Amino acid sequence: MSSDLAVTATSSRDVTAVDTGTRRWPRRALAASWLLALPLVFLGYGLAGWLRGWALGADSSVYRAGAALLLHGHSPYVVSDLGYLHLSFTYPPAAALLFTPLAALPAQLAWAVIAAASALALALVIRVAIAAVPYWRFPAAWSTPLLTAAMLCLVPVWRTIALGQVNVLLMAMAAVDVLAVTARRSRWGGLLTGVAAAVKLVPLIFIPHLLLSGKRTAAARALAVFAGLQGLALAIAPRDSAYWTSYVFQTGRIGAAQQPYNQSLDGLITRVTGVAPWSAHAAWLAAAVLAVPALLLMLRCHRRGQDVAALCVTACFGLLLAPVSWMPCWVWIAPALITLFSWLQAMWRDAGWERWAGAGAVIAVIAVFASTYSVPISEQRHRTLGPFWFFVLSNPYVLTAIAMALALLASNSLASNSRMTPTCPRDAP
């Protein structure tokens, strides 16, 4: 009799598992179909642009033109009118080498490929972040596509895609490398970080992040990949060594630091001081002062198992440290919001409504700032808005980074003073 009951219970558990898997399959299929349909929209738009001669992808056209110059034996740094907007190629020599596949495509299709890959990369970052945050109560099968759709509305994200930039792709490389590959102690850890740093120099900051978080082998591998790619590019085109001796120091080639679209410490101080000649030195001093609390906050988040928060702290500090960080560079607000959403979920039952409302207000303010353009500098705007609001609206992402750091600090303090525990197991990245 007891054996029959055991068999019946086992059979019922198997049937329940099958039913649960059957119910989950349509949701996962629907989410996968939506995520696959999104890149097709960009590819179709790019194809239409190619057939009709539209000007698509101001930055992707620069990537493509720089790679074409390299393939034809010319230096991409000596030409200052590349692409639709006649911009300069301001990336390391290895970037031109890695962009060479784009030279085989029309400019519109090159934009479409980068845009489609960026949409998928954003979904990948959100999925990896959901799996890595300490608290997440919603199924990833439907929260990933919903959050992807929401994050596409953030100004840095859609501006990145509209311009054909690679910011989302580089973010995905670093996030997957640190949160998934390196976290599993894979022998491939650090590879993607090194490739990202070879395209733009700002991701170099993730190498000390790996080092300080105990991933020394991955940090060394990332540095080796970065150096190897730059060395390969210089071996193919030795004339491009001028980038490291001259062009890398000419930040004016990227754009004027005082432009409000430059959301870095250098841009903020340059605007506040009226383009004073010592503003760049003041920015470096401010970055040195902020380095200590940023390092302590990153290490505190890492020790508490909040790896997404730690990575976002490093990324935002790197953007503040850079001489020029355009608005599209701030795509790291997307995983930072995932971290804050997980904090909000953790406080749903374990914290009072006052704290919950305060956390919601902080997240709402950050989301609003992340969806805001910085105002252009003009005397008329200055007189209309007033000095305070002009300062706020001219530096939305610098202030957003500070607000996120304070929110993460508050969430760490709240977690240490309460008994909040995860109510569901985390998914594996």
Side-chain angles (χ1 to χ4, degrees), residues 131-426:
V133 291
Y135 310 97
W136 197 264
R137 301 172 185 265
F138 305 111
W142 61 266
S143 58
T144 298
L146 288 179
L147 286 171
T148 301
M151 298 302 180
L152 282 172
C153 298
L154 296 176
V155 170
V157 175
W158 72 258
R159 286 290 292 172
T160 288
I161 294 177
L163 294 172
Q165 295 187 356
V166 292
N167 300 313
V168 177
L169 296 175
L170 301 184
M171 176 179 66
M173 290 182 186
V176 171
D177 193 10
V178 175
L179 301 176
V181 179
T182 305
R184 294 180 175 180
R185 302 288 180 178
S186 171
R187 62 181 179 179
W188 301 105
L191 175 64
L192 292 175
T193 300
V195 175
V199 176
K200 280 190 175 183
L201 297 182
V202 175
L204 279 172
I205 198 167
F206 298 119
I207 296 180
H209 176 93
L210 290 171
L211 180 65
L212 295 172
S213 59
K215 311 297 191 304
R216 297 181 179 86
T217 303
R221 193 178 293 117
L223 185 60
V225 169
F226 168 79
L229 287 174
Q230 302 298 345
L232 177 62
L234 293 180
I236 295 175
R239 61 188 174 279
D240 290 342
S241 61
Y243 172 83
W244 300 106
T245 59
S246 177
Y247 294 116
V248 71
F249 303 107
Q250 300 176 14
T251 56
R253 297 179 70 248
I254 305 175
Q258 69 270 21
Q259 293 187 25
Y261 303 114
N262 177 21
Q263 294 293 299
S264 67
L265 288 175
D266 191 10
L268 183 149
I269 295 177
T270 302
R271 288 188 289 272
V272 169
T273 60
V275 199
W278 45 265
S279 58
H281 302 287
W284 283 107
L285 180 60
V289 172
L290 289 177
V292 176
L295 176 61
L296 294 177
L297 180 58
M298 185 276 287
L299 292 176
R300 185 176 184 181
C301 292
H302 173 69
R303 289 165 184 164
R304 293 179 181 274
Q306 301 173 357
D307 292 331
V308 182
L311 186 63
C312 290
V313 170
T314 301
C316 289
F317 178 72
L319 292 173
L320 292 176
L321 181 64
V324 177
S325 293
W326 303 124
M327 284 192 305
C329 299
W330 286 89
V331 292
W332 282 94
I333 289 178
L337 286 175
I338 298 295
T339 298
L340 296 179
F341 286 146
S342 70
W343 171 35
L344 191 63
Q345 295 173 47
M347 292 195 303
W348 182 267
R349 296 179 181 176
D350 301 293
W353 70 269
E354 299 90 350
R355 289 179 174 178
W356 189 89
V362 170
I363 294 175
V365 169
I366 292 174
V368 168
F369 267 104
S371 304
T372 304
Y373 268 113
S374 56
V375 299
I377 288 185
S378 66
E379 292 299 327
Q380 182 63 36
R381 285 297 186 103
H382 191 282
R383 288 194 296 267
T384 303
L385 295 172
F388 174 76
W389 287 111
F390 181 76
F391 171 78
V392 171
L393 295 179
S394 296
N395 304 283
Y397 296 94
V398 178
L399 300 178
T400 297
I402 297 173
M404 286 191 298
L406 295 176
L408 292 175
L409 184 62
S411 67
N412 275 270
S413 300
L414 181 61
S416 61
N417 296 328
S418 64
R419 292 177 292 178
M420 294 187 300
T421 56
T423 57
C424 63
R426 298 191 311 178

